[in-house]
Amino acid sequence: MEFFKTPNFDYIKYHKLFFGLSGLLAAATVAGLVVRGPSLLSIDFTGGTLVQGYFQKAGDAAGADAQGAEISLDRVRAALATAGLNGAELQNVPNHNAIILRFKSNAGEAKTELVGKVTEAFARAFEGYAFVTERAEFVGPVVGRQMVSKAVLAVFFSMLGIVVYVAFRFRNWIWGAAGVFALVHDVFLALGFMALTGREVSITVVAALLTLAGYSINDTIVIFDRIRENIRLRGRHSKEPLDALINRSCNETLSRTIITSLTVFIVLLSLLFLGGEVIRDFSLALTFGVIVGSYSTIFIATPMVYLWQRKRSKPLH
């Protein structure tokens, strides 16, 4: 299957335009991160107040037998949003028919006041049901500072490993450096997208960004491999310029890139609109990431290789 029979786009010619576009997106990302500040981080990183309870039908006796009144998390989330209690993380408690609500708040905030707001919101939304609070307490962040610092080190050494491995396989470190640059470009812009759209960065979003990193480097390496193959087939004595060869390689893989990205994009759209609120942030970050990842491979990573080679005297392998 091919979308284009004989594409002939000149990607290298307009590299300054696309570098400028990425620069603008990066500036918007920085602005979004600065404006959002600590509010960008979810309760997983900041801690907050935990409220656990269950819905009891009016007239039932209290106790284990009465904990069977199930109301879906979507309805609970809608009731909280109507009452202005946005941003709560919800979780079912298996075999207990209870729900856990996590709110981003300070340790000094009155728990009783929050419980009162929650109870009042549920009383208005679910007539005939009473919300019975089992516990309300301040909880610390799931992801501590030590875990964050270790994760940053792990990501740094992972990227260093990618550069070394790709440099070894392609016999030139610029391939690895360009691939990692595109990877960082994609993850950074996806983070900015979440900030600018008012979403929070939770453990789920971090998982999406790491998944995006894997997708991005894989997509980049496929096109790099086609460029390297064409360089080898061309030989050192061919008169075909490097920019023409890179353009030809990108055009040869354009249909493959579009089909692969479109396939992943359709799956992510299905998760985004049908997967529910629990995985919405995960799907949203990856959906944007797939678009920007496909863009950066062609318009950012490959021009970087060309610009580097233009300043070197040795042939590109």
Side-chain angles (χ1 to χ4, degrees), residues 191-214:
L191 182 62
F193 176 76
M194 300 302 288
L196 294 172
T197 53
R199 313 300 293 189
E200 290 185 339
V201 175
S202 61
I203 292 179
T204 304
V205 173
V206 172
L209 296 180
L210 293 177
T211 305
L212 170 61

Side-chain angles (χ1 to χ4, degrees), residues 1-9 251-252 254-255:
M1 180 178 179
E2 291 183 348
F3 280 94
F4 306 99
K5 291 296 182 183
T6 55
N8 190 29
F9 301 129
N251 285 322
E252 289 175 352
L254 186 60
S255 288

Side-chain angles (χ1 to χ4, degrees), residues 49-291:
T49 301
L50 179 149
V51 178
Q52 177 175 329
Y54 60 91
F55 291 99
Q56 183 184 53
K57 289 183 180 178
D60 284 347
D65 293 340
Q67 297 177 12
E70 295 183 358
I71 295 177
S72 69
L73 293 185
D74 288 339
R75 292 182 63 192
V76 172
R77 187 175 288 105
L80 294 174
T82 302
L85 298 171
N86 296 303
E89 295 183 6
L90 310 183
Q91 178 185 353
N92 275 321
V93 181
N95 303 321
H96 191 52
N97 290 326
I99 58 173
I100 294 176
L101 317 172
R102 289 187 175 88
F103 296 89
K104 184 189 295 184
S105 60
N106 298 322
E109 186 174 344
K111 291 178 295 187
T112 54
E113 181 180 351
L114 179 61
V115 172
K117 292 180 180 178
V118 170
T119 305
E120 184 180 350
F122 289 157
R124 285 199 299 267
F126 309 121
E127 187 177 354
Y129 291 89
F131 183 72
V132 180
T133 303
E134 294 180 309
R135 62 178 175 134
E137 57 192 29
F138 178 79
V139 295
V142 176
V143 183
R145 291 183 178 179
Q146 186 179 12
M147 185 179 295
V148 171
S149 61
K150 288 182 178 179
V152 170
L153 285 176
V155 170
F156 172 77
F157 285 111
S158 298
M159 292 185 177
L160 184 62
I162 292 173
V163 173
V164 173
Y165 174 74
V166 176
F168 173 76
R169 290 295 305 272
F170 284 73
R171 299 169 58 188
N172 193 318
W173 67 269
I174 186 59
W175 300 99
V180 167
F181 183 86
L183 182 158
V184 174
H185 168 277
D186 301 341
V187 172
F188 186 63
L189 294 190
L191 182 62
F193 176 76
M194 300 302 288
L196 294 172
T197 53
R199 313 300 293 189
E200 290 185 339
V201 175
S202 61
I203 292 179
T204 304
V205 173
V206 172
L209 296 180
L210 293 177
T211 305
L212 170 61
Y215 174 86
S216 175
I217 192 66
N218 179 68
D219 191 55
T220 303
I221 292 301
V222 168
I223 294 183
F224 279 179
D225 194 54
R226 175 58 65 92
I227 296 174
R228 185 184 61 164
E229 181 183 6
N230 285 337
I231 290 175
R232 183 176 57 82
L233 294 175
R234 179 193 63 173
R236 296 186 178 184
H237 304 292
S238 173
K239 294 182 180 179
E240 183 181 25
L242 181 61
D243 56 344
L245 184 143
I246 291 177
N247 284 330
R248 178 165 62 86
S249 302
C250 291
N251 285 322
E252 289 175 352
T253 56
L254 186 60
S255 288
R256 175 261 171 205
T257 301
I258 292 177
I259 292 172
T260 302
S261 301
L262 192 60
T263 303
V264 177
F265 189 69
I266 291 173
V267 173
L268 291 174
L269 281 182
S270 301
L271 293 176
L272 182 61
F273 292 108
L274 304 176
E277 187 65 30
V278 176
I279 61 171
R280 182 145 300 160
D281 285 348
F282 179 88
S283 307
L284 189 63
L286 268 183
T287 301
F288 177 81
V290 166
I291 298 173

